[in-house]
Amino acid sequence: MCGIVGAVAERNVVNILLEGLKRLEYRGYDSAGVALVNGNELSIIRRTGKVSALAEAVEQSKSTGLDKGTTGIAHTRWATHGGVTEANAHPHASQDRFAVVHNGIIENHKPLRAALTEKGFNFVSDTDTEVIAHSIASYMQDGGDLFNAVQQAAASFEGAYGTVVLDKTTPDKLVVARSGSPLVIGLGIGENFLASDQMALLPVTRRFIFLEEGDVAQITRTSVEIVDANGEKVEREIIESNVEHDAGDKGGYRHYMLKEIYEQPHVLRNALKGRITSDGLVDGIFGANNAKSADEIFSQTQYVKIIACGTSYHAGVTAKYWLEQYAGVQCDVEIASEFRYRKSFVPKNSLLVTISQSGETADTLAALKLAKESGYMSSLSICNVDGSSLVRESALSFLTRAGAEIGVASTKAFTTQLAALLMLTLAIGKHNGMSAETADDIVSALISLPAKLEETLGLADEIDELAEEFSDKHHSLFLGRGDQYPIAMEGALKLKEISYIHAEAYASGELKHGPLALIDADMPVIVVAPNNELLEKLKSNVEEVRARGGLMYVFADKDAHFEDDDTMRVVNVPHCMESVAPIVYTIPLQLLSYYVALIKGTDVDQPRNLAKSVTVE
Ligand code: AGP
């Protein structure tokens, strides 16, 4: 989704800004732009398409000297209001003096636009962002300085924004405001930076201040002043980042997604390290909140509510099966965008669990905010990004340690979320009479998981070959039962995201209640079939498909005894323990979607219309 980078320095900042934008490319965008102040000269360059097109345009402007500036802001736009055009790309300007970049949506942009037009401001784009530029210009007409004008303007906005403002008449500073969309200040030596994601600034600094909701800050080369939502001056903690990521490094793989698929055994080892041993779960790994340890909270938990979006939601649905089956606690899972707009009942002693790779998903954050006001006993976030809004705003947090995930299609974040949720199952189950035998089984399944995933990755060539058969297909059906149903959902999501083939997932018991009507030879049916107690039921569903001429691709345990024939291609997945089977069976489905996308020639790491981190509603 949209990305922001800004810098105030003594040197020309254009390359810092462009490199920052490149590092944010993975988030998904459709146009890019930069505004630079050199002396008192403001130049704005914008292009639709990739950051490389913007970099080329900057290069071409060398002869005019407009490619330089000691202060600048830059942006990658993911269109919400107004089409993908140069006029709609950020930065937006007012009076050839103020330049603004913005992430989020100003929901009351229409009345603001009307009022500003009345005052004589001329709008040249279809965006909601342009009202920010003209609002600030309007407040500046009434006197005062840029900081006050941004504060006043921010007070008139409804919706979400992370915005940065530059005034060419005071070129030594940038003013930023945050409400709903993340912003981080990067501290340099004699220069300072800001961005919507620390990833953008890793080449220039590792020291960050994460702005909080309602903060407005002024940044110069040598100072950072922050005022909170109440207008009080505040000092925010400086955090030393240990994020490892070189955006330019695909580690020899053709795509980040493939690299991230292959990283899974390694990141799973990291996720388990220091948290689980052959003696069981290590005490205290879910932390504490003020006076109460996570363990005390879990001992009182009678109901778990999980909220997330997309792939993270699928992890939550898998966890529902685990928490109810192994930990004996009632659990419901809900999509964040649904939860946030309905009245829901909160049973006594309820624990809220949010799951997110980025920790910045707008709907999940809004759901957490709502839940905190609705009487949940405590909140736990399972998240991949330390210092993210979700982590900071939850009472307890558990980091998945998947490392930076660049591919828009989530892979290693998902499997580490599942490992985290299985550890949560152990932690809650301990208080609910989970038998020692079940606990030991889960512990040893988790310990052997990284090696099992390595073995499963050995299926890549076989799956690559099989993917050929999908290249001319337009639709597909994924089937699973029990805790493999959410894995089928995740497999379908992966395939549609990166290959653009329509894919639907069904709990296979639902087949005859409708989807069976779709079955013919043009509809590949993908089945996940570990050797569990539901196998015989699943086999009946497979026969229902076979009888209607459907073509099946079955990912199955060898002992499930499926065999290749005219109607069925079988891929034998290494035998694994039941509790971790959802994690193991995820791997072949990730590989399948990757190889199908490769054949279809789509943009695997940045699929069309999608963003990595969905920071608007
Ligand atoms: C997964 O492949 C997606 N691109 C998407 O569904 C993602 O999982 C969703 O947007 C939630 O993101 P989060 O985990 O960062 O909150």
Side-chain angles (χ1 to χ4, degrees):
M1 207 139 264
C2 303
I4 289 177
V5 192
V8 200
E10 227 166 5
R11 54 177 163 157
N12 181 10
V13 295
V14 73
N15 288 333
I16 296 171
L17 299 178
L18 291 173
E19 174 61 22
L21 291 187
K22 273 197 157 309
R23 286 173 166 261
L24 296 182
E25 279 190 304
Y26 76 98
R27 297 169 66 102
Y29 69 104
D30 41 51
S31 50
V34 59
L36 298 159
V37 194
N38 195 10
N40 275 337
E41 198 67 44
L42 173 67
S43 70
I44 295 183
I45 304 171
R46 301 177 293 185
R47 287 294 180 272
T48 55
K50 299 280 179 189
V51 172
S52 55
L54 175 69
E56 220 167 276
V58 168
E59 182 68 26
Q60 280 161 9
S61 67
K62 253 187 176 149
S63 55
T64 54
L66 295 177
D67 64 318
K68 285 188 196 60
T70 51
T71 298
I73 54 180
H75 191 263
T76 44
R77 172 176 188 253
W78 187 83
T80 56
H81 291 63
V84 182
T85 62
E86 214 164 282
N88 288 337
H90 301 204
H92 288 283
S94 185
Q95 301 177 328
D96 189 33
R97 173 178 165 185
F98 304 98
V100 165
V101 289
H102 161 228
N103 287 359
I105 294 173
I106 304 295
E107 284 167 2
N108 58 337
H109 69 103
K110 279 194 180 147
L112 290 174
R113 192 180 181 108
L116 288 160
T117 307
E118 185 96 337
K119 282 187 177 174
F121 287 96
N122 181 28
F123 281 80
V124 293
S125 79
D126 307 316
T127 65
D128 52 331
T129 302
E130 202 180 349
V131 302
I132 304 181
H134 294 316
S135 293
I136 285 157
S138 168
Y139 284 111
M140 289 293 277
Q141 278 174 349
D142 305 337
D145 69 355
L146 186 64
F147 192 83
N148 291 332
V150 172
Q151 273 186 311
Q152 283 172 291
S156 71
F157 301 146
E158 286 164 20
Y161 52 85
T163 190
V164 188
V165 186
L166 174 162
D167 174 358
K168 76 171 184 182
T169 68
T170 49
D172 56 337
K173 67 178 174 201
L174 293 172
V175 178
V176 307
R178 179 203 160 149
S179 177
S181 292
L183 279 176
V184 59
I185 296 172
L187 303 172
I189 299 170
E191 52 190 14
N192 285 318
F193 313 95
L194 59 97
S196 50
D197 178 336
Q198 56 175 305
M199 212 72 100
L201 302 177
L202 291 179
V204 284
T205 185
R206 293 236 151 217
R207 297 172 68 231
F208 295 108
I209 295 173
F210 293 89
L211 290 180
E212 309 230 330
E213 283 300 283
D215 281 356
V216 178
Q218 175 163 289
I219 298 156
T220 70
R221 284 201 304 108
T222 52
S223 67
V224 172
E225 285 165 43
I226 306 170
V227 160
D228 69 11
N230 302 318
E232 303 289 333
K233 226 172 156 185
V234 281
E235 296 282 331
R236 299 261 178 248
E237 193 188 351
I238 298 173
I239 291 172
E240 200 77 38
S241 170
N242 56 8
V243 170
E244 295 167 31
H245 169 54
D246 181 352
D249 182 16
K250 291 192 189 128
Y253 289 93
R254 187 157 164 194
H255 293 99
Y256 282 112
M257 182 182 175
L258 190 62
K259 174 179 177 245
E260 289 158 6
I261 289 174
Y262 275 90
E263 275 173 355
Q264 288 175 108
H266 169 68
V267 296
L268 252 305
R269 272 188 195 101
N270 279 346
L272 300 174
K273 201 170 165 188
R275 291 168 165 174
I276 204 155
T277 69
S278 49
D279 292 336
L281 208 60
V282 172
D283 280 343
I285 58 167
F286 285 91
N289 169 38
N290 303 328
K292 268 195 182 171
S293 71
D295 217 36
E296 274 175 270
I297 293 166
F298 296 159
S299 72
Q300 292 162 13
T301 299
Q302 291 173 355
Y303 172 75
V304 179
K305 175 84 178 190
I306 301 181
I307 295 175
C309 303
T311 288
S312 300
Y313 168 74
H314 297 152
V317 181
T318 315
K320 175 183 164 72
Y321 286 89
W322 288 337
L323 284 163
E324 297 203 342
Q325 179 181 342
Y326 301 127
V329 67
Q330 193 190 342
C331 172
D332 285 315
V333 192
E334 193 164 348
I335 291 167
S337 55
E338 285 297 311
F339 175 81
R340 66 181 286 194
Y341 288 117
R342 73 179 187 92
K343 262 210 153 5
S344 59
F345 179 72
V346 187
K348 210 172 136 218
N349 291 341
S350 296
L351 172 69
L352 178 85
V353 178
T354 53
I355 309 172
S356 173
Q357 188 286 128
S358 62
E360 302 296 350
T361 301
D363 285 322
T364 311
L365 282 170
L368 169 64
K369 193 166 173 234
L370 174 71
K372 276 163 65 179
E373 294 156 6
S374 332
Y376 280 86
M377 177 177 63
S378 193
S379 59
L380 164 70
S381 66
I382 292 185
C383 188
N384 193 33
V385 181
D386 197 6
S388 61
S389 304
L390 198 71
V391 166
R392 283 180 291 119
E393 284 161 33
S394 301
L396 302 167
S397 61
F398 188 85
L399 295 174
T400 50
R401 302 184 187 157
E405 189 179 69
I406 304 299
V408 163
S410 194
T411 51
K412 60 178 182 168
F414 180 63
T415 44
T416 51
Q417 284 168 351
L418 290 177
L421 289 159
L422 207 42
M423 287 188 263
L424 179 66
T425 304
L426 284 169
I428 295 181
K430 188 170 102 180
H431 301 285
N432 275 359
M434 180 188 275
S435 72
E437 196 191 345
T438 302
D440 288 350
D441 270 6
I442 297 177
V443 167
S444 56
L446 277 169
I447 290 173
S448 60
L449 183 61
K452 194 54 72 183
L453 296 190
E454 255 150 23
E455 204 185 330
T456 311
L457 285 165
L459 296 172
D461 288 346
E462 196 179 339
I463 294 172
D464 186 5
E465 221 175 88
L466 187 142
E468 296 280 346
E469 299 178 24
F470 282 73
S471 54
D472 62 336
K473 301 289 186 245
H474 299 289
H475 305 277
S476 60
L477 200 59
F478 284 68
L479 300 180
R481 286 195 88 119
D483 61 9
Q484 292 290 343
Y485 168 45
I487 301 312
M489 288 159 80
E490 174 59 9
L493 177 65
K494 287 288 89 85
L495 190 70
K496 70 184 122 186
E497 268 187 303
I498 62 166
S499 75
Y500 314 151
I501 293 176
H502 170 223
E504 272 197 79
Y506 267 92
S508 40
E510 272 291 289
L511 253 192
K512 53 175 98 56
H513 299 288
L516 210 48
L518 296 169
I519 304 296
D520 64 16
D522 284 332
M523 168 80 100
V525 179
I526 297 97
V527 184
V528 267
N531 187 13
N532 62 18
E533 59 183 21
L534 291 171
L535 181 63
E536 289 314 313
K537 304 270 174 215
L538 187 78
K539 282 190 168 172
S540 311
N541 304 136
V542 163
E543 289 312 317
E544 289 161 8
V545 175
R546 197 200 299 273
R548 278 135 192 111
L551 199 54
M552 283 170 292
Y553 297 86
V554 181
F555 294 91
D557 188 288
K558 205 157 164 244
D559 295 340
H561 302 298
F562 284 100
E563 276 176 24
D564 268 358
D565 61 24
D566 290 353
T567 60
M568 188 185 290
R569 290 280 308 265
V570 181
V571 176
N572 282 319
V573 178
H575 180 70
C576 62
M577 292 169 83
E578 195 181 330
S579 58
V580 294
I583 309 179
V584 174
Y585 278 73
T586 297
I587 306 291
L589 300 189
Q590 293 172 344
L591 288 167
L592 179 68
S593 60
Y594 176 77
Y595 287 118
V596 173
L598 213 56
I599 294 166
K600 298 207 76 167
T602 56
D603 190 343
V604 171
D605 285 331
Q606 290 169 37
R608 67 184 183 202
N609 307 336
L610 297 182
K612 180 68 185 163
S613 182
V614 184
T615 50
V616 295
E617 263 196 272

